[in-house]
Amino acid sequence: MTLDARVFGLPLRLDVLQTVVKWQLACRRAGTGSSKRIGAVSGSGKKMRPQKGTGQARAGHKRPPHWRGGAKAHGPVTGGRDWSYKLNKRERRLGLATALSQKLMEGNLSIVDEASASSHRTAALAKKLEDQGLSDALFIVGSDKNGGKGSIIDPEGFRRFSIAANNLPLVHVLPSIGANVYDLLRREKVVLTLGAVSDLQQRLTTPIRRKYWE
C-alpha cells in the first residue's frame, strides 16, 4: 500500500526522539515519594539538656535529622510532586512520525489486515509469532471514538488475540490513539493494522488548530 511520506518518510531525528521519550517518562512518574519533616515526626519539642556544661552538643528538641528516629533532611515533600511538563504538540507529532519512519526504514514495520486469533491460548499465538519473527513486537490496531471497535474487522478474533498476547512479555497491543514514541522504540518490530495506518495518517497530518490570539 502507499503510505503518506509526511508520516512514514521522515529522516531520523535523534534529538526529537530523545526529547519526546524524556517527556513521556517524566509524565508517567507517580511523584508519590514522601518523607517526614520536623513537624511530622513524633517526639518531644522540649530542650533535651542544658545548653552548656554537659560536654555534649547543643540540642533544642528530640527530632533533629542527624538523630536516630529523627526527621528527614531535604527529603521529598509530603503529598507528592508533579514531574510532568508541557511539550509542544508539533514536537510530539514529529517524534511519533519519526519513530514510525525509522521502523519502516529499518524494515521492522509490517502492515496486516487485522490482529485476530482463532484461539485465546497463549502458546498457540507465541508459536505463530515466533515463526513469523514477531516475538518482540508492538501491535497497533485501529480505533475510533466508540471505544476502539469501529475499525476492527473481527471484534471476537481481536478479543482472543488480546487475551493470548497479554501473557507474552515482549508483545504489546495498543489502540492507534495510544501509539507513542516510547513503546515504538522499546519493541523490535511494529505491526500496524489497516485501520491503524488510516488513523495514524489522519492524526499526524491534520492541521493543528491555532488559538485565536496566535
Side-chain angles (χ1 to χ4, degrees), residues 23-190:
W23 167 75
Q24 279 189 240
L25 295 180
C27 291
R28 67 186 291 181
R29 292 185 65 172
T32 54
S34 63
S35 60
K36 290 187 176 182
R37 302 294 180 92
I38 292 289
V41 176
S42 61
S44 174
K46 178 183 177 182
K47 188 170 179 61
M48 300 302 297
R49 51 179 172 261
Q51 180 79 351
K52 295 178 177 294
T54 65
Q56 302 183 73
R58 295 169 288 184
H61 55 83
K62 196 178 181 180
R63 299 165 292 171
H66 60 286
W67 282 19
R68 182 176 180 178
K72 176 68 175 178
H74 313 298
V77 178
T78 303
R81 175 177 176 181
D82 184 11
W83 293 91
S84 64
Y85 57 90
K86 183 179 181 295
L87 186 65
N88 291 335
K89 184 179 291 186
R90 287 179 177 83
E91 191 159 14
R92 302 202 305 263
R93 281 189 175 189
L94 179 59
L96 183 55
T98 300
L100 291 170
S101 301
Q102 182 62 21
K103 287 296 182 182
L104 179 61
M105 189 183 306
E106 295 171 351
N108 292 327
L109 181 70
S110 304
I111 299 176
V112 297
D113 291 333
E114 60 176 336
S116 178
S118 58
S119 171
H120 64 277
R121 299 291 182 180
T122 300
L125 180 62
K127 179 65 168 60
K128 187 174 183 180
L129 294 179
E130 184 179 359
D131 293 341
Q132 298 181 1
L134 298 176
S135 298
D136 183 359
L138 171 67
F139 287 82
I140 302 179
V141 299
S143 62
D144 64 1
K145 298 179 181 179
N146 299 321
K149 298 181 180 178
S151 56
I152 296 177
I153 302 174
D154 182 9
E156 184 61 27
F158 174 69
R159 187 186 69 85
R160 292 191 295 264
F161 179 84
S162 300
I163 293 175
N166 278 341
N167 291 327
L168 298 175
L170 298 181
V171 176
H172 293 163
V173 182
L174 289 177
S176 59
I177 193 64
N180 61 88
V181 176
Y182 181 65
D183 285 325
L184 282 169
L185 298 182
R186 287 179 65 196
R187 303 275 69 89
E188 179 184 2
K189 304 286 186 178
V190 176

